[in-house]
Amino acid sequence: MSNKIVIDPVTRIEGHLKVEVTVEQGKVADARCVGTMFRGLEQIVIDKDPRDVPYVVERACGVCAGVHGWASCMAVEQAHNAVVPEMGRVLRNLMMGALWLHDHVLHFYHLSALDYIDPTAILSYTGGSPQLISVRDKIKALAEAGDLHPILPSYAPDDFCVRDPDVVTELVYHYIQALEIQAKGRKASAIFAGKQPHHSTMVVGGVTFYPTLGHIEQFRRIIREVIDFVRGTYVPDVLAVASEYLLPLERASVGATAGHYMSYGGYPLDSHGDRMLFPSGVILDGDLDSVKPFDPTAVVEDLAHSWYKDEPRPGHPASTFTSVEFDKPRAYTFIKAPRYQGKPIEVGPLARMLVSKNPSFMKLLKEQGITRPGVVMRHAARAVDTLVMADMMDTWIGELIQLVGTTGIYGDTGSALIHDTGAWEPPKEGRGAGLNEAPRGALGHWIEIADRKVKQYQMVVPTTWNASPVDEQGNHGPMEEAIIGAPVPDVDNPVNVVRIIRSFDPCLACAIHMIHPKGEKVIPLGLRVG
């Protein structure tokens, strides 16, 4: 006997995602990730001035704020043959790095942690910490008032959940602290970006903002608070939970994919992009010891099960058009199926840590005997990924101070240029690609210019890779692959399914954008207290 479960929408993610799974003998036998909206931003920018495109497409999402504007600038700059000056490079790294720290902290505490704890354990806290007693009393009061919305919706805790009152109460206390910390990450970014979300100082060819030493000091003061929290609280919390309480879940390979990973590479460490904080590379077929060079021509978009008109064969994003076909047979989502050498590829922090062979993360895998990383190691990878970014911030701040000059006088040696003004005017014809790493994974924008206007534009975002549907060859996308085989002992409480989905940190607002008028069944959620 099989049971079909429809979760619509999946909560505590960005955007609107429906997931359908078939459960047989207590495990998921089949899965479909359904993107129920259509983006359409690419069509909006056709025939527009290429320099205006970053302002439009960065509004794909207010959470992935900045990453689309940056990737779009990179694509247009390549088409313009523009070279971003050193100060522009450093300022971009700093403003986007601050958002990186904001994003990962928010994802763990506010979007995912509730999947792994039993909040009712707080009511049994008997320790002496004034802060934790305050948390316990607050949650108790909310429970008695029937107003637990700050920690809802949630599935019922299962055997994998952390139930130790001391641990759970401290995690919820950190959840509350993280609300302020993630906001500080955005505030720091806005010092150089003008505002957040949707920065106003990053433009094609560089930036428009000259920082003073006062601006830099203000940024450094705020970002150090965020970094202190990352190093002292966030990373220890994730690694402790991942390597102890949730290890049985990981050792059961819950949430593992087919083993294909990719990073475009991101965050240039020099003006030519020869060295990157996150290197590019590809891992195929679970061979974690072999990182292959990334070939940008090997990316194609398969439309077999997407609500778009078929093309003769899967094409490269730079040369394919997007044309909606709502009534297409077999189609079930607005998300396309990007493939690399024909394979579904996982992108994101886990891919970055494996491709870069991060020593701390590889040591964790080895110590725990994990060869097929899944749902828990995806969180651990994100924590280490955050640490990599945090460790670079002081270096970039130092570079910026040197570029500005200790006296605060700009441009006396020519090193304080912020923009390639000579490449501002659009070429008559040109092509460009902006391939970068966003917190959620590999992000690509492609542009073609004709008669100084945009002729073609395409975006393939991280969630398009991870939440992609079945392709023409019958291969499931990484998220669907990760869900298949997951244990679901109680069909009314598919907590492992949402654990896996949230571990990818999906952003459907980026992957797709305009709502579809047809609604579907919604599973009501509740929290069992007392």
PDB file of all heavy atoms in Angstrom, residues 463-481:
ATOM      1  N   THR A 463      18.647  27.417  -6.596  1.00  0.00           N
ATOM      2  CA  THR A 463      17.501  26.544  -6.356  1.00  0.00           C
ATOM      3  C   THR A 463      16.999  25.918  -7.650  1.00  0.00           C
ATOM      4  O   THR A 463      16.353  24.866  -7.619  1.00  0.00           O
ATOM      5  CB  THR A 463      16.386  27.322  -5.636  1.00  0.00           C
ATOM      6  OG1 THR A 463      16.900  27.771  -4.363  1.00  0.00           O
ATOM      7  CG2 THR A 463      15.164  26.466  -5.370  1.00  0.00           C
ATOM      8  N   THR A 464      17.272  26.544  -8.804  1.00  0.00           N
ATOM      9  CA  THR A 464      16.930  25.897 -10.066  1.00  0.00           C
ATOM     10  C   THR A 464      17.716  24.595 -10.197  1.00  0.00           C
ATOM     11  O   THR A 464      17.193  23.576 -10.658  1.00  0.00           O
ATOM     12  CB  THR A 464      17.224  26.814 -11.254  1.00  0.00           C
ATOM     13  OG1 THR A 464      16.752  28.126 -10.962  1.00  0.00           O
ATOM     14  CG2 THR A 464      16.540  26.304 -12.510  1.00  0.00           C
ATOM     15  N   TRP A 465      18.972  24.613  -9.812  1.00  0.00           N
ATOM     16  CA  TRP A 465      19.770  23.373  -9.820  1.00  0.00           C
ATOM     17  C   TRP A 465      19.205  22.361  -8.813  1.00  0.00           C
ATOM     18  O   TRP A 465      18.940  21.207  -9.149  1.00  0.00           O
ATOM     19  CB  TRP A 465      21.227  23.678  -9.452  1.00  0.00           C
ATOM     20  CG  TRP A 465      22.036  24.310 -10.532  1.00  0.00           C
ATOM     21  CD1 TRP A 465      22.336  25.642 -10.655  1.00  0.00           C
ATOM     22  CD2 TRP A 465      22.659  23.665 -11.656  1.00  0.00           C
ATOM     23  NE1 TRP A 465      23.096  25.861 -11.774  1.00  0.00           N
ATOM     24  CE2 TRP A 465      23.323  24.659 -12.405  1.00  0.00           C
ATOM     25  CE3 TRP A 465      22.742  22.347 -12.091  1.00  0.00           C
ATOM     26  CZ2 TRP A 465      24.044  24.380 -13.561  1.00  0.00           C
ATOM     27  CZ3 TRP A 465      23.460  22.055 -13.250  1.00  0.00           C
ATOM     28  CH2 TRP A 465      24.099  23.065 -13.974  1.00  0.00           C
ATOM     29  N   ASN A 466      19.042  22.802  -7.562  1.00  0.00           N
ATOM     30  CA  ASN A 466      18.730  21.845  -6.495  1.00  0.00           C
ATOM     31  C   ASN A 466      17.302  21.314  -6.541  1.00  0.00           C
ATOM     32  O   ASN A 466      17.053  20.160  -6.211  1.00  0.00           O
ATOM     33  CB  ASN A 466      18.993  22.501  -5.132  1.00  0.00           C
ATOM     34  CG  ASN A 466      20.473  22.687  -4.854  1.00  0.00           C
ATOM     35  OD1 ASN A 466      21.312  21.958  -5.382  1.00  0.00           O
ATOM     36  ND2 ASN A 466      20.803  23.662  -4.013  1.00  0.00           N
ATOM     37  N   ALA A 467      16.343  22.169  -6.907  1.00  0.00           N
ATOM     38  CA  ALA A 467      14.927  21.758  -6.897  1.00  0.00           C
ATOM     39  C   ALA A 467      14.438  21.410  -8.294  1.00  0.00           C
ATOM     40  O   ALA A 467      13.235  21.419  -8.548  1.00  0.00           O
ATOM     41  CB  ALA A 467      14.070  22.878  -6.298  1.00  0.00           C
ATOM     42  N   SER A 468      15.342  21.085  -9.188  1.00  0.00           N
ATOM     43  CA  SER A 468      14.959  20.809 -10.578  1.00  0.00           C
ATOM     44  C   SER A 468      14.152  19.524 -10.679  1.00  0.00           C
ATOM     45  O   SER A 468      14.290  18.607  -9.864  1.00  0.00           O
ATOM     46  CB  SER A 468      16.208  20.726 -11.453  1.00  0.00           C
ATOM     47  OG  SER A 468      17.043  19.673 -11.023  1.00  0.00           O
ATOM     48  N   PRO A 469      13.299  19.430 -11.719  1.00  0.00           N
ATOM     49  CA  PRO A 469      12.455  18.243 -11.885  1.00  0.00           C
ATOM     50  C   PRO A 469      13.190  17.115 -12.604  1.00  0.00           C
ATOM     51  O   PRO A 469      14.380  17.232 -12.940  1.00  0.00           O
ATOM     52  CB  PRO A 469      11.315  18.777 -12.757  1.00  0.00           C
ATOM     53  CG  PRO A 469      11.969  19.825 -13.604  1.00  0.00           C
ATOM     54  CD  PRO A 469      13.016  20.474 -12.717  1.00  0.00           C
ATOM     55  N   VAL A 470      12.455  16.061 -12.863  1.00  0.00           N
ATOM     56  CA  VAL A 470      12.982  14.938 -13.652  1.00  0.00           C
ATOM     57  C   VAL A 470      13.336  15.437 -15.056  1.00  0.00           C
ATOM     58  O   VAL A 470      12.606  16.254 -15.631  1.00  0.00           O
ATOM     59  CB  VAL A 470      11.919  13.820 -13.738  1.00  0.00           C
ATOM     60  CG1 VAL A 470      12.379  12.705 -14.663  1.00  0.00           C
ATOM     61  CG2 VAL A 470      11.623  13.273 -12.351  1.00  0.00           C
ATOM     62  N   ASP A 471      14.449  14.976 -15.594  1.00  0.00           N
ATOM     63  CA  ASP A 471      14.836  15.386 -16.951  1.00  0.00           C
ATOM     64  C   ASP A 471      14.414  14.344 -17.979  1.00  0.00           C
ATOM     65  O   ASP A 471      13.792  13.328 -17.650  1.00  0.00           O
ATOM     66  CB  ASP A 471      16.342  15.681 -17.019  1.00  0.00           C
ATOM     67  CG  ASP A 471      17.193  14.462 -16.667  1.00  0.00           C
ATOM     68  OD1 ASP A 471      16.738  13.321 -16.889  1.00  0.00           O
ATOM     69  OD2 ASP A 471      18.321  14.649 -16.159  1.00  0.00           O
ATOM     70  N   GLU A 472      14.747  14.617 -19.243  1.00  0.00           N
ATOM     71  CA  GLU A 472      14.342  13.728 -20.337  1.00  0.00           C
ATOM     72  C   GLU A 472      14.872  12.316 -20.156  1.00  0.00           C
ATOM     73  O   GLU A 472      14.274  11.339 -20.599  1.00  0.00           O
ATOM     74  CB  GLU A 472      14.838  14.301 -21.677  1.00  0.00           C
ATOM     75  CG  GLU A 472      14.383  13.532 -22.898  1.00  0.00           C
ATOM     76  CD  GLU A 472      12.871  13.594 -23.101  1.00  0.00           C
ATOM     77  OE1 GLU A 472      12.275  14.630 -22.757  1.00  0.00           O
ATOM     78  OE2 GLU A 472      12.289  12.592 -23.567  1.00  0.00           O
ATOM     79  N   GLN A 473      16.021  12.184 -19.481  1.00  0.00           N
ATOM     80  CA  GLN A 473      16.634  10.863 -19.275  1.00  0.00           C
ATOM     81  C   GLN A 473      16.082  10.141 -18.047  1.00  0.00           C
ATOM     82  O   GLN A 473      16.519   9.038 -17.717  1.00  0.00           O
ATOM     83  CB  GLN A 473      18.162  11.018 -19.127  1.00  0.00           C
ATOM     84  CG  GLN A 473      18.833  11.744 -20.275  1.00  0.00           C
ATOM     85  CD  GLN A 473      18.538  11.085 -21.619  1.00  0.00           C
ATOM     86  OE1 GLN A 473      18.615   9.858 -21.739  1.00  0.00           O
ATOM     87  NE2 GLN A 473      18.183  11.892 -22.622  1.00  0.00           N
ATOM     88  N   GLY A 474      15.141  10.798 -17.342  1.00  0.00           N
ATOM     89  CA  GLY A 474      14.540  10.181 -16.167  1.00  0.00           C
ATOM     90  C   GLY A 474      15.287  10.418 -14.872  1.00  0.00           C
ATOM     91  O   GLY A 474      14.952   9.821 -13.842  1.00  0.00           O
ATOM     92  N   ASN A 475      16.277  11.305 -14.885  1.00  0.00           N
ATOM     93  CA  ASN A 475      17.036  11.610 -13.668  1.00  0.00           C
ATOM     94  C   ASN A 475      16.310  12.650 -12.817  1.00  0.00           C
ATOM     95  O   ASN A 475      15.963  13.726 -13.310  1.00  0.00           O
ATOM     96  CB  ASN A 475      18.416  12.169 -14.039  1.00  0.00           C
ATOM     97  CG  ASN A 475      19.231  11.205 -14.861  1.00  0.00           C
ATOM     98  OD1 ASN A 475      19.394  10.044 -14.486  1.00  0.00           O
ATOM     99  ND2 ASN A 475      19.732  11.671 -16.000  1.00  0.00           N
ATOM    100  N   HIS A 476      16.108  12.331 -11.551  1.00  0.00           N
ATOM    101  CA  HIS A 476      15.519  13.303 -10.634  1.00  0.00           C
ATOM    102  C   HIS A 476      16.518  14.419 -10.335  1.00  0.00           C
ATOM    103  O   HIS A 476      17.743  14.212 -10.388  1.00  0.00           O
ATOM    104  CB  HIS A 476      15.139  12.631  -9.316  1.00  0.00           C
ATOM    105  CG  HIS A 476      13.924  11.766  -9.407  1.00  0.00           C
ATOM    106  ND1 HIS A 476      12.653  12.262  -9.253  1.00  0.00           N
ATOM    107  CD2 HIS A 476      13.781  10.438  -9.638  1.00  0.00           C
ATOM    108  CE1 HIS A 476      11.770  11.287  -9.373  1.00  0.00           C
ATOM    109  NE2 HIS A 476      12.435  10.155  -9.612  1.00  0.00           N
ATOM    110  N   GLY A 477      15.990  15.605  -9.994  1.00  0.00           N
ATOM    111  CA  GLY A 477      16.842  16.680  -9.509  1.00  0.00           C
ATOM    112  C   GLY A 477      17.405  16.328  -8.144  1.00  0.00           C
ATOM    113  O   GLY A 477      16.923  15.395  -7.476  1.00  0.00           O
ATOM    114  N   PRO A 478      18.438  17.059  -7.674  1.00  0.00           N
ATOM    115  CA  PRO A 478      19.097  16.708  -6.405  1.00  0.00           C
ATOM    116  C   PRO A 478      18.151  16.660  -5.200  1.00  0.00           C
ATOM    117  O   PRO A 478      18.253  15.737  -4.373  1.00  0.00           O
ATOM    118  CB  PRO A 478      20.133  17.826  -6.244  1.00  0.00           C
ATOM    119  CG  PRO A 478      20.445  18.253  -7.631  1.00  0.00           C
ATOM    120  CD  PRO A 478      19.137  18.157  -8.376  1.00  0.00           C
ATOM    121  N   MET A 479      17.230  17.616  -5.086  1.00  0.00           N
ATOM    122  CA  MET A 479      16.349  17.618  -3.918  1.00  0.00           C
ATOM    123  C   MET A 479      15.401  16.428  -3.954  1.00  0.00           C
ATOM    124  O   MET A 479      15.159  15.771  -2.935  1.00  0.00           O
ATOM    125  CB  MET A 479      15.585  18.937  -3.852  1.00  0.00           C
ATOM    126  CG  MET A 479      14.963  19.224  -2.500  1.00  0.00           C
ATOM    127  SD  MET A 479      14.065  20.791  -2.454  1.00  0.00           S
ATOM    128  CE  MET A 479      15.390  21.948  -2.757  1.00  0.00           C
ATOM    129  N   GLU A 480      14.853  16.141  -5.125  1.00  0.00           N
ATOM    130  CA  GLU A 480      13.976  14.971  -5.256  1.00  0.00           C
ATOM    131  C   GLU A 480      14.767  13.695  -4.953  1.00  0.00           C
ATOM    132  O   GLU A 480      14.274  12.805  -4.259  1.00  0.00           O
ATOM    133  CB  GLU A 480      13.401  14.912  -6.671  1.00  0.00           C
ATOM    134  CG  GLU A 480      12.425  16.040  -6.994  1.00  0.00           C
ATOM    135  CD  GLU A 480      11.862  15.957  -8.414  1.00  0.00           C
ATOM    136  OE1 GLU A 480      12.401  15.167  -9.218  1.00  0.00           O
ATOM    137  OE2 GLU A 480      10.892  16.682  -8.704  1.00  0.00           O
ATOM    138  N   GLU A 481      15.977  13.599  -5.469  1.00  0.00           N
ATOM    139  CA  GLU A 481      16.819  12.433  -5.228  1.00  0.00           C
ATOM    140  C   GLU A 481      17.093  12.265  -3.735  1.00  0.00           C
ATOM    141  O   GLU A 481      17.112  11.144  -3.202  1.00  0.00           O
ATOM    142  CB  GLU A 481      18.141  12.588  -5.985  1.00  0.00           C
ATOM    143  CG  GLU A 481      19.138  11.452  -5.782  1.00  0.00           C
ATOM    144  CD  GLU A 481      18.757  10.189  -6.533  1.00  0.00           C
ATOM    145  OE1 GLU A 481      18.016  10.307  -7.514  1.00  0.00           O
ATOM    146  OE2 GLU A 481      19.212   9.098  -6.118  1.00  0.00           O
TER     147      GLU A 481
END
